[in-house]
Amino acid sequence: MAPTLAVSFNGSSEIIDFVLKKGNGVKGLSEMGLDSLPEQYIQPLEERMCDTKTMSQESIPLIDISKLDEPEVAEAICEAAEKWGFFQVINHGVPIEVLENVKEATHQFFGLSAEEKRKYLKEFSPTNNVRFGTSFSPEAEKALEWKDYLSLFYVSEDEASALWPSVCRDQVLEYMKRSEIVVRKLLDVLMKNLNVTEIDETKESLLMGSKRINLNYYPICPNPELTVGVGRHSDVSTLTVLLQDDIGGLYVRGNNDSWIHVPPVNGSIVINVGDALQIMSNGRYKSVEHRVIANGSNNRISVPIFINPGPSEKISPFPEVLASGEKAVYKEVLYSDYVRHFFHKAHDGKATIEFAEI
């Protein structure tokens, strides 16, 4: 039986109304000083993180990319993308100040009043490209996730200047701009390993034709062991560039049903392969399941940039990958259809990729 709340709501609909419709998010719930977790957030046993499933002795690669031209650095990146699907990079060229500014801006946005944040809810936002929300896909989920977010789809500098929240707009744009240089270098290395010698205009649109950035806020949670910050999933991106604070809580799927913590490393950026790149590389690069645990003592933030194909692009294994006679394991899919499929259901591990399997 679920424990009772210190602050009572009259039924489930009042909690949903408070969190989802009034702009309070789970941050608002957290700040009420709840003794226990509302039942809407209690995850099934199989979705909860258990100590016996974690492997603390393993870690994803940490790669110094200051000398990206050196063969051993390029080799380490490709090996990490093939074996782990995740790696951290240091000496990447994005100034620490830019990273710190975007983290601070994230706190500034979530520090706004519920009335201010409510302006960016789906029903009120001036554009579909700016969205404040909570959990992942509340309409499709049996249990909600303990996370609030601001999602920003980048169309142009002009639109961002006009419509993104002013409290975080400039910092986010600067972070995106600086990170794009890193992304281009990494994609160049990863493509050469697939015998794609040049990222021309067509390939660029396929690999990085659109960008979305999320500001994520995971407030302190009562009974964190009963819920999740983010459920098991893999990203639908080409690459994801993730900035995390110093709290920790991101776990990546390892072997034998284990979960490996991705420890915060000061000044580092986490890179992971998304489903789109797994499809385009015909499975050579791995888009790996990951999740975020809830925290009982600290608020946590993270800022992922999702580097995606353009929505109207059709993605399939690159001809260069299949040139040697390798058989395609994925069919051609319209990227916007793939993304729609992902967002119309709850997080469910690696199930989304089945949409593109032959």
Side-chain angles (χ1 to χ4, degrees):
M1 193 170 109
T4 54
L5 296 175
V7 183
S8 61
F9 288 92
N10 291 321
S12 165
S13 63
E14 277 201 12
I15 290 186
I16 297 299
D17 190 59
F18 177 82
V19 173
L20 296 179
K21 296 180 183 167
K22 291 188 174 167
N24 292 286
V26 282
K27 182 175 184 281
L29 271 186
S30 174
E31 288 171 352
M32 291 173 81
L34 305 181
D35 283 342
S36 56
L37 192 69
E39 63 180 19
Q40 290 86 345
Y41 293 89
I42 296 176
Q43 295 285 332
L45 274 170
E46 64 273 15
E47 295 303 333
R48 299 179 204 169
M49 184 62 103
C50 160
D51 288 342
T52 57
K53 288 183 183 172
T54 59
M55 287 178 67
S56 54
Q57 70 271 29
E58 279 206 90
S59 59
I60 67 166
L62 178 67
I63 305 172
D64 180 341
I65 61 167
S66 57
K67 295 175 180 170
L68 209 48
D69 297 337
E70 294 187 359
E72 55 269 29
V73 178
E75 199 177 304
I77 288 165
C78 296
E79 191 180 310
E82 289 175 9
K83 182 184 174 188
W84 295 93
F86 266 82
F87 52 98
Q88 297 203 65
V89 295
I90 53 171
N91 296 323
H92 40 65
V94 182
I96 294 288
E97 184 186 27
V98 171
L99 303 181
E100 292 306 314
N101 287 348
V102 82
K103 286 193 274 191
E104 177 56 30
T106 301
H107 282 290
Q108 294 284 335
F109 174 79
F110 288 101
L112 294 174
S113 67
E115 290 71 33
E116 273 300 303
K117 288 183 290 198
R118 192 168 182 261
K119 292 175 184 173
Y120 300 102
L121 287 171
K122 184 179 179 180
E123 302 89 318
F124 309 115
S125 181
T127 167
N128 277 337
N129 298 329
V130 178
R131 178 80 49 84
F132 168 61
T134 191
S135 193
F136 171 65
S137 186
E139 315 77 33
E141 291 165 328
K142 290 178 182 162
L144 298 172
E145 300 176 349
W146 195 260
K147 179 193 84 169
D148 296 330
Y149 65 86
L150 175 70
S151 186
L152 303 164
F153 184 82
Y154 181 80
V155 173
S156 68
E157 190 101 12
D158 286 348
E159 188 192 87
S161 297
L163 299 175
W164 289 12
S166 59
V167 72
C168 58
R169 175 191 60 222
D170 295 344
Q171 298 89 332
V172 169
L173 284 171
E174 184 63 18
Y175 171 49
M176 284 183 86
K177 216 174 290 176
R178 300 288 193 138
S179 300
E180 186 171 321
I181 299 163
V182 183
V183 168
R184 286 180 182 279
K185 288 177 179 175
L186 291 172
L187 283 174
D188 197 46
V189 166
L190 291 165
M191 288 303 103
K192 284 194 169 85
N193 188 50
L194 298 177
N195 296 320
V196 176
T197 51
E198 187 199 351
I199 300 178
D200 57 17
E201 214 172 293
T202 307
K203 287 279 197 303
E204 182 167 320
S205 187
L206 268 173
L207 291 165
M208 50 190 304
S210 66
K211 293 189 281 286
R212 179 184 294 281
I213 185 162
N214 280 10
L215 310 186
N216 294 329
Y217 191 90
Y218 304 91
I220 292 169
C221 178
N223 314 114
E225 72 287 350
L226 299 180
T227 191
V228 295
V230 177
R232 301 176 300 111
H233 71 288
S234 61
D235 295 345
V236 294
S237 57
T238 299
L239 286 181
T240 302
V241 177
L242 175 76
L243 175 64
Q244 53 174 348
D245 64 12
D246 58 359
I247 302 301
L250 170 65
Y251 284 80
V252 173
R253 172 79 82 179
N255 299 315
N256 309 318
D257 201 33
S258 61
W259 291 92
I260 299 158
H261 188 229
V262 180
V265 174
N266 192 36
S268 76
I269 296 173
V270 180
I271 307 289
N272 66 275
V273 172
D275 289 359
L277 186 54
Q278 178 170 323
I279 291 165
M280 290 186 274
S281 70
N282 204 37
R284 179 96 53 93
Y285 298 137
K286 305 285 188 291
S287 173
V288 172
E289 257 184 288
H290 47 288
R291 67 198 302 178
V292 175
I293 61 168
N295 191 303
S297 49
N298 292 289
N299 299 316
R300 175 182 183 264
I301 59 151
S302 69
V303 187
I305 303 175
F306 303 101
I307 308 295
N308 305 319
S312 60
E313 293 293 340
K314 292 176 178 174
I315 59 170
S316 62
F318 285 130
E320 293 89 337
V321 176
L322 305 177
S324 61
E326 189 177 316
K327 195 178 174 194
V329 291
Y330 300 107
K331 62 190 177 192
E332 183 179 82
V333 293
L334 182 65
Y335 186 64
S336 57
D337 287 346
Y338 190 85
V339 172
R340 198 174 297 115
H341 176 65
F342 176 68
F343 280 107
H344 276 188
K345 57 190 177 54
H347 279 143
D348 54 2
K350 280 288 293 175
T352 311
I353 200 86
E354 291 166 12
F355 185 80
E357 286 175 353
I358 290 174

